[in-house]
Amino acid sequence: DESLKLETLKNVDNFSEYEKLLTPMKNKYKDWIDELSNNKSSIPKRFIDDGTVEFQIKNCEEALKRIETGIKEVSKDNSIVGEAFRFANSVMYNQMRYSGWAKKNQRNGGKIPKEEKPIGGREPTWYIFQLAFILLNIESIVNPKSENRETVDLLWFPTGGGKTEAYLGLIAFNLALRRLRETGVNRFGVTVIMRYTYRILTLQQFQRAAALMCACEYERRKNKEKWGDEPFSVGLFVGNQTTPNYLKDAEKNLHEYQNTGVKPEEGNPVQIISCPWCGTKIGPWEYSVTHLPNRMRIRCRNPKCYFGNKDNKDSFLPVIFIDDDINSSLPSLLIGTVDKFARLAWRSEYAAIFGKVTQYCREHGFQPSNIPLKKICGQHRNKEWKTKNIKPVPPPELIIQDELHLISGP
């Protein structure tokens, strides 16, 4: 089906084409609901008597309305909603292609691949439930006053069925919409938060989200005027037993790791061990602390990789994993554990995650008003590097709680 192929959805010229492509899917869902309503006799009587059937059919009809509204929103010509939807399909197309290629290369030992990009492979295609879930949420993301913002949409599907790709597509749409809708520094800041229950799950999903951010960066760099100068990035927000909280500690631990070859038992800054874009193995020597910006960064050791070009000063993986760097860079997507997020109320510097910043410079990034940034940045000769006073940036707009069934309590 052409309407499910990301190649088709990312290459539309006029957004009105989306209505033609997506309406048949909506109509088939409507036919299924009608068939369900007309065949109640095949359903056990107790479910009819207790109102379960009517309740579920009503929910299906409500979902159908929201999907229909989502299709209308993305189909408006010259609309930023259609532009954001096209961006989401474009980056998810590359996310699926490159992450699949990266996994293949990882299985081969993480050697530098001979090819510069994926060749062949499965055509990136949405499952129907994935595309329907994205469309169902479009209106409530676009409209801050939507009544559907009171609804928690639960995506329930078996393990390995494609849930992650569904909400990665929604994340990509959200990120693009902020860049298109806002101006100045308001285009940046943490836009989406993803919470996990276990660190191991967090680390696994961080790799997949990193591939999405690589795809977003690949798209942004082709048109910085449209998508902004500040990189799309993903931050890993977990306890200091996993990653260091402070950049000075991270740099110290990294140097010890590089000099001794012994991995730190706690506060290990080397969390990404293979490139999410090409699958090449990554070790401590691919990590370094740069000064513009002042941050720990990773460059893929594959010189042919889009994120491994030593001649390009911006050719680094778009991943952030030190608390200091998260507070100053405000990654577009922040992934963390519920216990780490519980600490937000106890540490004032984490207010930056919610947009509470008033200063910015290229070296030190975003900072709150109680940091004397002008004294620190006073030595910059280049006026473009000096501190700028800014207004607080918008707070996160979307929260995704994964593995909800693992959380107990009220």
Side-chain angles (χ1 to χ4, degrees):
D1 189 334
E2 284 296 317
S3 67
L4 297 176
K5 291 182 180 179
L6 282 93
E7 176 83 42
T8 301
L9 295 170
K10 79 182 183 69
N11 287 325
V12 300
D13 292 320
N14 300 307
F15 301 140
S16 57
E17 295 176 47
Y18 283 135
E19 188 164 16
K20 181 180 178 182
L21 286 166
L22 301 171
T23 297
M25 178 187 69
K26 178 210 69 174
N27 289 341
K28 287 178 182 178
Y29 184 41
K30 183 180 183 303
D31 292 343
W32 179 80
I33 296 171
D34 291 341
E35 184 180 341
L36 199 63
S37 299
N38 296 330
N39 289 283
K40 293 179 183 177
S41 57
S42 63
I43 300 172
K45 188 173 181 298
R46 67 179 184 278
F47 295 129
I48 297 174
D49 292 343
D50 67 9
T52 299
V53 172
E54 286 301 322
F55 177 74
Q56 296 294 354
I57 289 175
K58 184 180 177 181
N59 283 340
C60 288
E61 290 171 342
E62 181 60 32
L64 176 64
K65 288 178 184 177
R66 291 176 65 187
I67 291 169
E68 188 172 22
T69 303
I71 293 172
K72 289 178 180 177
E73 288 285 350
V74 301
S75 301
K76 295 175 182 176
D77 271 336
N78 302 314
S79 160
I80 61 170
V81 180
E83 186 74 64
F85 185 68
R86 183 165 61 185
F87 175 91
N89 282 283
S90 182
V91 299
M92 284 303 299
Y93 174 84
N94 280 322
Q95 193 272 350
M96 291 181 189
R97 288 184 73 232
Y98 277 87
S99 61
W101 182 52
K103 286 177 183 176
K104 179 183 174 183
N105 293 334
Q106 288 166 22
R107 289 193 293 269
N108 291 334
K111 299 176 183 177
I112 295 176
K114 295 178 180 179
E115 309 87 4
E116 290 190 21
K117 59 183 180 180
I119 299 173
R122 178 178 173 269
E123 172 79 13
T125 305
W126 291 116
Y127 292 126
I128 292 176
F129 86 89
Q130 294 171 333
L131 189 54
F133 184 74
I134 292 170
L135 291 168
L136 180 141
N137 281 284
I138 293 288
E139 188 272 338
S140 56
I141 289 174
V142 171
N143 177 13
K145 296 182 179 179
S146 170
E147 62 181 20
N148 291 314
R149 287 205 169 195
E150 299 299 317
T151 301
V152 175
D153 288 299
L154 178 65
L155 189 57
W156 185 274
F157 219 76
T159 300
K163 294 188 297 295
T164 301
E165 283 71 22
Y167 54 70
L168 288 181
L170 207 55
I171 289 169
F173 174 82
N174 230 116
L175 301 187
L177 189 66
R178 177 179 284 197
R179 298 273 173 129
L180 292 166
R181 182 161 53 188
E182 302 290 349
T183 58
V185 293
N186 277 5
R187 305 173 81 186
F188 312 127
V190 178
T191 307
V192 181
I193 285 175
M194 287 178 63
R195 301 186 305 185
Y196 287 85
T197 48
Y198 296 133
R199 288 176 188 171
I200 186 66
L201 291 172
T202 310
L203 292 168
Q204 289 171 354
Q205 296 296 4
F206 183 73
Q207 188 82 6
R208 299 172 79 174
L212 173 65
M213 289 303 113
C214 287
C216 288
E217 266 302 275
Y218 181 76
E219 199 70 22
R220 183 192 70 86
R221 293 180 193 177
K222 290 191 292 184
N223 193 341
K224 291 184 180 180
E225 185 177 348
K226 179 183 288 185
W227 303 114
D229 292 326
E230 196 74 14
F232 288 106
S233 60
V234 56
L236 180 63
F237 197 53
V238 292
N240 62 2
Q241 289 185 335
T242 305
T243 60
N245 287 343
Y246 303 105
L247 184 57
K248 62 180 182 180
D249 294 338
E251 190 169 18
K252 175 177 172 287
N253 292 353
L254 177 64
H255 288 162
E256 288 181 0
Y257 192 177
Q258 290 173 335
N259 293 332
T260 65
V262 178
K263 185 189 299 185
E265 292 184 8
E266 291 186 4
N268 179 18
V270 181
Q271 292 296 324
I272 295 286
I273 57 174
S274 64
C275 176
W277 195 243
C278 72
T280 299
K281 188 176 179 180
I282 288 175
W285 290 103
E286 280 66 63
Y287 287 67
S288 63
V289 174
T290 61
H291 295 289
L292 274 177
N294 186 29
R295 192 176 303 159
M296 184 165 284
R297 305 172 88 183
I298 311 169
R299 175 175 276 139
C300 179
R301 68 185 181 92
N302 175 7
K304 294 180 290 185
C305 178
Y306 191 73
F307 301 95
N309 182 358
K310 291 183 179 179
D311 296 326
N312 184 341
K313 63 181 178 62
D314 295 323
S315 187
F316 291 94
L317 288 169
V319 295
I320 313 291
F321 40 89
I322 313 297
D323 283 14
D324 277 349
D325 294 348
I326 286 171
N327 292 330
S328 65
S329 68
L330 304 185
S332 320
L333 168 62
L334 187 60
I335 297 180
T337 50
V338 288
D339 61 328
K340 182 71 173 186
F341 280 113
R343 290 191 55 77
L344 290 176
W346 301 95
R347 300 282 295 275
S348 61
E349 61 266 34
Y350 293 147
I353 291 170
F354 297 94
K356 301 299 183 182
V357 290
T358 58
Q359 306 169 91
Y360 175 82
C361 87
R362 280 186 60 193
E363 182 178 359
H364 303 99
F366 296 93
Q367 297 291 341
S369 58
N370 61 349
I371 300 293
L373 205 52
K374 286 192 175 182
K375 291 182 180 179
I376 300 172
C377 299
Q379 302 304 314
H380 288 326
R381 294 180 181 179
N382 190 325
K383 292 182 180 179
E384 291 298 315
W385 299 355
K386 289 189 177 180
T387 306
K388 297 177 182 177
N389 292 322
I390 60 172
K391 292 183 179 180
V393 299
E397 299 175 23
L398 176 67
I399 297 175
I400 296 172
Q401 174 64 59
D402 204 359
E403 305 292 351
L404 185 65
H405 62 284
L406 296 177
I407 296 179
S408 61

